Amino acid sequence: MRHDAVRGHLDGLLLAVVEPGPLHGYAIIAAVQERSGGALELRTGTIYPALNRLERLGLLRSDWEAVGQRKRRRYELTEAGRRQLDEERSAWRDFTRVIGAVLDPGPTSGAVANGAAT
């Protein structure tokens, strides 16, 4: 899968993988890769700035977890993050329905063309 395919969807991907509970950065990367069947391999240089931005926006909160002699930052959803994730999922469903109607037209694609998906 092309690396730029994630562009515009990274926030939703990150929010979705931390939805079940707190995860540290590498666990978030691994969760995205696992959920995508290995198709998405996100880089730390992409993930950490995005996690910091989502935290500044109040969509994530973080704390430090001690693991042996090391400390790792764990991220979890806030209530605002849960609402944003719901919006991301809704927008994704609308997007895939509309694009799907164009790329793979079927008997219901007329509803999308007639403005039902605007």
Side-chain angles (χ1 to χ4, degrees), residues 17-38:
V17 297
V18 299
E19 181 181 29
L23 292 173
H24 59 84
Y26 284 110
I28 292 170
I29 292 169
V32 169
Q33 188 171 13
E34 181 181 325
R35 285 190 185 190
S36 70

Side-chain angles (χ1 to χ4, degrees), residues 94-114:
D94 290 346
F95 176 79
T96 57
R97 183 174 43 83
V98 170
I99 298 302
V102 174
L103 293 177
D104 190 18
T108 61
S109 63
V112 173
N114 290 327

Side-chain angles (χ1 to χ4, degrees), residues 51-82:
L51 291 171
N52 291 332
R53 182 176 43 75
L54 292 171
E55 188 172 15
R56 281 193 313 273
L57 292 171
L59 304 177
L60 294 177
R61 70 176 148 256
S62 69
D63 63 4
W64 289 97
E65 171 187 49
V67 179
Q69 299 294 328
R70 295 179 44 207
K71 290 175 84 176
R72 299 186 295 198
R73 186 179 292 264
R74 294 183 319 163
Y75 298 89
E76 67 180 314
L77 280 181
T78 62
E79 283 306 311
R82 289 186 193 288

